[in-house]
Amino acid sequence: MDFVEPEGNFAPTFKKAPTHPLVNRDFCTFTPRSPADALEERLILDSTAWPETPLLPDPVLLEQTSDPANSTFTILPGEGEWHVGDQLRILIKMYDFQGHAKKSGGDVLVARLHSKTLSAGVAGKVEDHLNGSYSAVFPLLWEGSAQVEVLLIHPSEAVTVLRRINREQPDRVIFKGIFSSGSISETTVCNVCLRQTGEPLCNYTDPYTGEPWFCYKPQNLSCDARIYHKITGYKQVLKTSEPKLFQRKVNHRVSVQASGPPNVNVLPPRKGQTGVNDQSEKSEPSGYYYQGVWRALGGSRVQQFNTSSAISQCLKGKMVHLYGDSTIRQWFEFLDASLPDAKEVKLKNSKQSGPVMIQDNVNQFLITYRIHGLPLRISSIPACKESYIANELDGLKGGSDTVVVIGIWAHFSTFPIELYIRRLQNIRRAVVHLLNRAPGTLVIIRTGNLQTAWLPRVLGNGDWFTIQVNKVLRAVFKGLDVKVVDAWEMVLAHHLPHSLHPQPPIIKNMIDVLLSYTCPKK
């Protein structure tokens, strides 16, 4: 499908911070680059809005919050027996710790249908009915056993807390700038948004994209003396009684039990049936696992690239540019390990941030990786190596020999979602320009994925925010000629534990999807 870029003036118009004290009512707000961007932002916020969640008493009363141990799911009756091609529906009822039925929605629930013996699994589509009940639907895609699993990621009351701290504490990750000149060295706090203190600021807003970044000015050095960026820690931002909303084995990432049998036996397709009954875009997942292998539903067929020669043959004559966070660096590392004949190009850069590069002179392919621009939770990166994806894309020639992979999500979860929308709008502009000047360029987007994070890390990286990120990601790139690797479903549907950095079998399936897009079977 073609994407039509909104009309408007896209020159950077971000309001630069003065070097005198700021006067802001809301210290972390962002000015869209154009009226078109502002309108799109409002539409995205409306379309991706999470249901209202309850106001919390202080102190929090755990007894009145969602309790997975008291909650249940029930497989809804079908037509007497289940066949491949049918849809399985379940009803989830949430109760509090006192056994009272919840009357409102907003809980974070995920569901999958799986078979351990068949190494099969598919993600379910969960719908919030806003009254304490939820439903989930799964397509039945294989014969034999199929078991439902429902997981409460967060009670709705925890979402209330997560919303509040993203609004009130977007600076809870502590970033520092290292400044040095001669024998003088200083360190100051930096962030997208800095609190009003009366101190002068250094403004590092990118002149091309308008992406904001600021540091408090060092006392004895100029703003030009900044040489490194790093993360130094996290602030404690929860109120005294709020940690009880994020307890392992109590109300965070805990299974909801079935009120009856949790499994069904799936028979072969009915005579004459070729697809899923009552199939709709609303409930159809992007794919599923069978025998441990990811199979796409619609779109390109996923091939298996099980040898280095198969991968090399697919990449022959290609330039593959990977941009993003450490979940994209995993792809670079997987390919590097899988291609013994490809040699690293000595650039003397950190493998954590890049740019790093491998090339195969025989098959004439090149693979690069570079981390996205600030904000970055990284131990250390030279300021001269910071680079925004949009600017990198604007420097690409592109063409039918070029593959661009973008994965940017995990470092944005402590900020208002408007910052992420802004970043994706900038990247989309660059993608549109790239595809206009080089229509044969293949652009692939990786979504965010489920992870296992406990306090305090869940306050900086959590699945609730990733759900918002993925909604925004799809909204911003909707209609654009790009491919998607649905990392969320590929992690949720798999039997391995959730992880920010998925385990090798999942990464291998993701690489198969990437290479299948690169070399579609004719």
Side-chain angles (χ1 to χ4, degrees):
M1 297 176 65
D2 294 328
F3 174 81
V4 179
E5 188 172 17
E7 295 180 0
N9 176 17
F10 295 111
T13 58
F14 185 81
K15 189 182 296 183
K16 292 191 175 182
T19 55
H20 54 75
L22 293 176
V23 181
N24 285 342
R25 289 191 179 92
D26 297 317
F27 83 100
C28 201
T29 58
F30 310 96
T31 304
R33 291 181 61 183
S34 71
D37 279 1
L39 174 60
E40 181 184 42
E41 177 187 284
R42 289 195 298 273
L43 293 174
I44 289 175
L45 291 174
D46 289 343
S47 67
T48 62
W50 194 262
E52 287 299 316
T53 53
L55 296 174
L56 298 179
D58 190 6
V60 172
L61 302 176
L62 186 66
E63 294 79 9
Q64 298 176 5
T65 66
S66 301
D67 177 16
N70 275 330
S71 304
T72 62
F73 73 84
T74 304
I75 295 176
L76 297 178
E79 298 179 5
E81 56 186 17
W82 304 101
H83 292 260
V84 172
D86 292 344
Q87 286 193 326
L88 183 71
R89 298 179 185 274
I90 66 169
L91 179 67
I92 307 164
K93 293 286 292 181
M94 299 301 297
Y95 293 82
D96 65 21
F97 282 82
Q98 297 174 320
H100 300 142
K102 295 292 293 289
K103 302 298 184 184
S104 59
D107 296 301
V108 184
L109 293 157
V110 296
R112 73 173 180 133
L113 187 70
H114 66 103
S115 169
K116 184 176 181 180
T117 57
L118 296 173
S119 295
V122 64
K125 172 73 175 180
V126 177
E127 182 179 356
D128 188 341
H129 299 295
L130 308 179
N131 60 3
S133 67
Y134 303 76
S135 59
V137 60
F138 313 85
L140 297 179
L141 299 163
W142 61 82
E143 294 181 34
S145 65
Q147 182 171 336
V148 174
E149 180 182 274
V150 177
L151 196 65
L152 175 69
I153 301 294
H154 290 301
S156 57
E157 293 79 10
V159 175
T160 299
V161 175
L162 295 174
R163 282 175 146 165
R164 189 197 78 237
I165 62 176
N166 263 29
R167 184 178 66 253
E168 298 178 358
Q169 306 285 342
D171 56 344
R172 60 188 180 275
V173 179
I174 304 171
F175 298 111
K176 297 288 183 70
I178 313 299
F179 297 76
S180 182
S181 180
S183 60
I184 303 174
S185 181
E186 294 185 65
T187 301
T188 71
V189 172
C190 305
N191 213 306
V192 172
C193 304
L194 292 176
R195 294 182 183 271
Q196 182 174 308
T197 65
E199 301 174 61
L201 300 180
C202 292
N203 181 359
Y204 300 107
T205 298
D206 183 72
Y208 302 104
T209 64
E211 296 291 354
W213 192 257
F214 305 97
C215 296
Y216 292 120
K217 186 182 180 303
Q219 291 184 354
N220 302 305
L221 294 173
S222 73
C223 293
D224 294 335
R226 176 174 166 269
I227 59 170
Y228 282 101
H229 162 85
K230 66 178 182 178
I231 179 177
T232 61
Y234 296 80
K235 297 179 182 178
Q236 170 56 255
V237 295
L238 293 183
K239 298 177 182 178
T240 304
S241 61
E242 289 176 343
K244 65 179 65 174
L245 296 174
F246 302 90
Q247 297 182 75
R248 296 177 63 174
K249 300 183 180 180
V250 176
N251 54 8
H252 176 43
R253 302 190 66 85
V254 180
S255 294
V256 175
Q257 299 304 307
S259 62
N263 57 285
V264 296
N265 185 54
V266 185
L267 302 174
R270 290 182 173 87
K271 187 175 181 180
Q273 183 173 323
T274 57
V276 176
N277 288 339
D278 191 27
Q279 190 167 317
S280 65
E281 181 182 354
K282 184 177 181 181
S283 61
E284 184 181 359
S286 61
Y288 67 104
Y289 289 105
Y290 187 76
Q291 302 293 357
V293 173
W294 184 255
R295 298 182 176 185
L297 290 172
S300 301
R301 174 187 168 192
V302 180
Q303 306 164 57
Q304 296 297 294
F305 296 83
N306 296 326
T307 65
S308 60
S309 60
I311 298 173
S312 296
Q313 190 61 33
C314 174
L315 295 178
K316 190 170 185 177
K318 301 286 187 183
M319 291 182 288
V320 181
H321 300 290
L322 307 172
Y323 302 106
D325 54 35
S326 57
T327 63
I328 287 293
R329 188 178 73 239
Q330 277 188 288
W331 291 15
F332 179 87
E333 292 167 347
F334 185 95
L335 289 169
D336 189 13
S338 302
L339 296 165
D341 294 331
K343 305 301 180 184
E344 180 183 352
V345 178
K346 300 297 183 181
L347 299 177
K348 298 183 179 180
N349 295 320
S350 163
K351 289 188 176 181
Q352 188 179 15
S353 61
V356 288
M357 182 184 304
I358 56 173
Q359 66 179 12
D360 183 324
N361 291 326
V362 174
N363 292 291
Q364 294 292 299
F365 67 75
L366 178 75
I367 304 173
T368 71
Y369 165 73
R370 186 164 196 160
I371 202 167
H372 65 72
L374 302 171
L376 287 172
R377 296 178 213 164
I378 190 170
S379 57
S380 181
I381 182 174
C384 62
K385 298 298 182 182
E386 297 165 356
S387 182
Y388 293 100
I389 293 175
N391 293 338
E392 291 295 315
L393 296 180
D394 284 341
L396 284 184
K397 178 182 177 182
S400 58
D401 61 348
T402 303
V403 180
V404 171
V405 179
I406 300 168
I408 175 170
W409 59 283
H411 295 256
F412 288 79
S413 60
T414 55
F415 298 100
I417 194 68
E418 289 86 348
L419 176 67
Y420 187 67
I421 293 173
R422 177 192 182 88
R423 181 63 57 89
L424 291 190
Q425 287 174 328
N426 278 326
I427 293 173
R428 182 188 60 197
R429 260 186 288 273
V431 168
V432 169
H433 296 157
L434 173 61
L435 295 178
N436 282 342
R437 67 177 178 269
T441 308
L442 174 62
V443 179
I444 299 170
I445 309 291
R446 182 202 191 278
T447 72
N449 58 263
L450 286 147
Q451 56 196 288
T452 299
W454 314 114
L455 279 178
R457 288 302 178 94
V458 72
L459 304 180
N461 260 342
D463 294 331
W464 172 75
F465 191 85
T466 305
I467 292 172
Q468 317 311 306
V469 161
N470 287 342
K471 289 178 181 178
V472 168
L473 187 69
R474 292 184 182 279
V476 171
F477 285 96
K478 184 178 181 180
L480 189 59
D481 186 16
V482 301
K483 306 296 185 183
V484 175
V485 176
D486 197 331
W488 178 272
E489 288 193 9
M490 295 184 76
V491 169
L492 175 56
H494 206 277
H495 66 82
L496 286 171
H498 303 161
S499 174
L500 173 63
H501 300 109
Q503 294 187 38
I506 301 176
I507 296 298
K508 197 274 180 187
N509 276 288
M510 291 179 178
I511 295 297
D512 283 338
V513 176
L514 163 67
L515 296 175
S516 296
Y517 284 141
T518 304
C519 307
K521 196 155 189 176
K522 297 178 181 178

